Amino acid sequence: MSLFILLGTIVLTAILSPFFLVMLKRASRRPPRIDGDGRTVLGLTMGLVVLGICSAAFCLSLLWLMVLLALDPDPWDIGTAMVPVLGSLVFIITGCAVYGMFCIGVRFGPDGILYRRLFGKHLVPWNEVEQVVDHPVLGTYLRTAAGRLYLSKYRTGFQQLLAELRSRGVKGAERRSLARPT
């Protein structure tokens, strides 16, 4: 029975993943929203919202599993002991993804980039943006005098930000890996 569930999960994932990625890429092509101050908003697409909600649910289920295992009076075997260790690692990784989707906000205008983190907003003037980096593990971020500003290529408005960075001669903005996903 458990083999059937495992194979079903793998097949379902193999079928839904390409559909989900196509939906994510198409939604990133929508025109960005302009706020009341005239700043272009890098917004969440429906695909990112769904991914964030699923990631948050996965984090909570891992946390619940670890609590249940901690309360289990039976002695643990090596497989059971690995769940909290690997579960904690996966919890941190998916927790970072949820943070990146729902706690980071980016808007840009003539005076620079307004970057919102969990605790406060920071305005980074254009002359302090040093480089655009597209790292395979860390993701896409801007290296600035204020530190790293993490972004997602799949947000609406990212291509407009990239065009603005190119027009200002920011190093790395011309990289092909940053172009709109097709």
Side-chain angles (χ1 to χ4, degrees):
M1 182 66 169
S2 64
L3 180 62
F4 177 73
I5 293 172
L6 177 65
L7 289 176
T9 304
I10 291 171
V11 168
L12 190 62
T13 303
I15 292 170
L16 290 180
S17 293
F19 172 75
F20 183 73
L21 288 173
V22 167
M23 182 178 78
L24 188 66
K25 288 178 181 181
R26 283 188 180 167
S28 70
R29 294 186 178 124
R30 283 192 329 221
R33 185 174 62 87
I34 307 295
D35 68 4
D37 297 332
R39 295 180 183 278
T40 303
V41 179
L42 270 67
L44 290 174
T45 62
M46 183 55 71
L48 285 175
V49 170
V50 169
L51 183 62
I53 291 170
C54 291
S55 296
F58 185 68
C59 281
L60 291 175
S61 66
L62 276 176
L63 190 62
W64 180 245
L65 177 65
M66 287 187 277
V67 167
L68 289 177
L69 283 175
L71 297 175
D72 187 12
D74 294 332
W76 287 11
D77 60 358
I78 190 67
T80 308
M82 290 303 291
V83 170
V85 174
L86 295 176
S88 299
L89 179 64
V90 172
F91 180 81
I92 290 169
I93 291 169
T94 55
C96 288
V98 170
Y99 172 79
M101 283 181 239
F102 297 120
C103 297
I104 292 177
V106 180
R107 300 166 187 246
F108 66 94
D111 55 345
I113 300 171
L114 187 62
Y115 192 78
R116 178 183 47 84
R117 292 185 176 139
L118 189 58
F119 300 108
K121 296 178 181 178
H122 309 283
L123 178 64
V124 179
W126 289 115
N127 60 352
E128 291 185 10
V129 179
E130 299 167 359
Q131 183 179 7
V132 181
V133 179
D134 192 27
H135 194 273
V137 175
L138 299 176
T140 305
Y141 63 91
L142 301 177
R143 186 175 295 140
T144 70
R148 292 181 181 170
L149 306 180
Y150 288 93
L151 308 167
S152 171
K153 290 189 274 190
Y154 298 104
R155 285 182 177 242
T156 58
F158 179 78
Q159 295 303 315
Q160 288 79 0
L161 174 62
L162 199 57
E164 182 69 29
L165 292 168
R166 274 191 225 113
S167 72
R168 294 180 181 275
V170 175
K171 181 179 168 187
E174 71 286 343
R175 292 185 58 182
R176 290 191 65 191
S177 63
L178 293 170
R180 170 173 279 138
T182 56

